[in-house]
Amino acid sequence: MTFHATVLTLYPEMFPGPLGVSLAGRARDEGTWSLEMVQIRDFAIDKHRTVDDTPAGGGAGMVLRVDVLAAAIDHARKGNPAAPVIAMTPRGKPLTQARVRELAAGPGVIVLCGRFEGFDERIFEGRGVEEVSVGDIVLSGGEPAAIMLLDACIRLLPGVMGAPSSGAEESFENGLLEYPHYTRPQEWDGRTIPEVLRSGDHAKIAVWRKLQSEIDTRSRRPDLWERHSGARVQPASGARREKKD
Ligand code: SAH
């Protein structure tokens, strides 16, 4: 089954970009996923092909017009009827690995990329559009956010990642950050690989990794830890805290 991605943007030339190389690029060549670009400007209704207008109520910047967006979405839905429509916006629900998993298990996704001040608010309810943010940062456009979303989905598609198990222990898959990794050389700049990882004792290594994963999540991401443990976060005894210089 092919995962169909449709991207609505004013800058289709930004794609496939990073999605055209490495794992994602190969998977696209193999037909694991497909990409259709829709130029939002093609759905403008005036002779100047205007896609934006000044914000109601005044203020800086320009807002993407709801009628133009609706026409572009309606067109995209015809080509990708079963896929959810997701708008990239810092006002959206933060993207999670759990949502990425759901999307990757589905027929695909229609992604709407904003520009300027963003979208006319009426598009979301009016066309059943899900609002998603990729973090508490402001990008100049939704395209890099769309690439993030698609990359995260594509790597989960069957056959894309070499070893199927390499996804299972990854950060966020069990609500925790992954344990830290090391590889040769054994000693670098006076720093060594933790002894246990060279012991060959797989049970001991598993225990160490689980503990590191918990310690790091607790100190670096108390929000994740709180959700994971279902408890209020206490000051972490034994947790490795980053030293502030
Ligand atoms: N005025 C808006 C920001 C607009 S940034 C606000 O303050 O909320 C322009 C476009 O970049 C947005 O429409 C959106 O598509 C994209 N964008 C910016 N930051 C993003 C984020 N954190 N997540 C997803 N999309 C983002």
Side-chain angles (χ1 to χ4, degrees):
M1 206 183 73
T2 300
F3 179 90
H4 295 290
T6 310
V7 179
L8 284 65
T9 170
L10 290 168
Y11 299 97
E13 63 273 25
M14 287 191 178
F15 293 81
L19 302 175
V21 297
S22 187
L23 292 182
R26 203 174 319 133
R28 189 175 170 218
D29 293 342
E30 288 167 357
T32 308
W33 70 286
S34 69
L35 177 64
E36 191 199 339
M37 300 307 301
V38 174
Q39 167 57 270
I40 295 172
R41 201 171 292 283
D42 290 346
F43 297 87
I45 42 195
D46 65 334
K47 63 175 191 299
H48 303 294
R49 305 222 300 156
T50 312
V51 293
D52 56 348
D53 207 335
T54 53
M62 299 294 274
V63 177
L64 288 166
R65 287 174 58 123
V66 68
D67 48 1
V68 176
L69 292 170
I73 292 171
D74 293 347
H75 168 83
R77 276 205 167 119
K78 279 188 210 133
N80 200 355
V85 182
I86 294 184
M88 307 315 304
T89 162
R91 284 168 44 85
K93 197 168 167 190
L95 184 61
T96 61
Q97 188 64 15
R99 184 69 186 117
V100 166
R101 270 209 177 277
E102 284 171 7
L103 291 171
V109 62
I110 297 171
V111 192
L112 186 55
C113 303
R115 279 275 153 180
F116 322 123
E117 290 307 316
F119 310 98
D120 183 311
E121 187 70 16
R122 293 171 291 181
I123 195 63
F124 305 122
E125 270 190 33
R127 281 296 183 271
V129 176
E130 179 181 339
E131 296 170 74
V132 168
S133 165
V134 295
D136 293 343
I137 53 168
V138 181
L139 303 167
S140 56
E143 291 79 10
I147 288 169
M148 278 174 65
L149 170 71
L150 293 175
D151 180 275
C153 291
I154 291 161
R155 63 187 286 283
L156 295 180
L157 299 176
V160 175
M161 276 194 300
S165 67
S166 68
E169 291 189 334
E170 227 128 28
S171 292
F172 314 115
E173 289 295 353
N174 59 0
L176 298 173
L177 302 178
E178 198 187 38
Y179 49 80
H181 295 284
Y182 300 87
T183 188
R184 282 180 284 270
Q186 168 53 32
E187 190 186 329
W188 171 78
D189 237 1
R191 296 162 195 271
T192 53
I193 295 175
E195 197 58 45
V196 58
L197 298 179
R198 291 193 302 151
S199 67
D201 182 338
H202 294 294
K204 230 163 85 182
I205 291 170
V207 169
W208 181 87
R209 285 179 166 166
K210 182 165 182 289
L211 186 67
Q212 285 305 311
S213 161
E214 290 173 356
I215 289 170
D216 288 347
T217 305
R218 201 165 166 177
S219 63
R220 294 170 181 214
R221 292 294 303 275
D223 56 324
L224 287 183
W225 180 251
E226 188 167 9
R227 227 173 300 151
H228 175 79
S229 60
R232 277 195 64 77
V233 178
Q234 306 291 325
S237 63
R240 205 178 60 198
R241 292 228 171 242
E242 229 84 276
K243 279 225 174 71
K244 290 195 185 91
D245 293 319

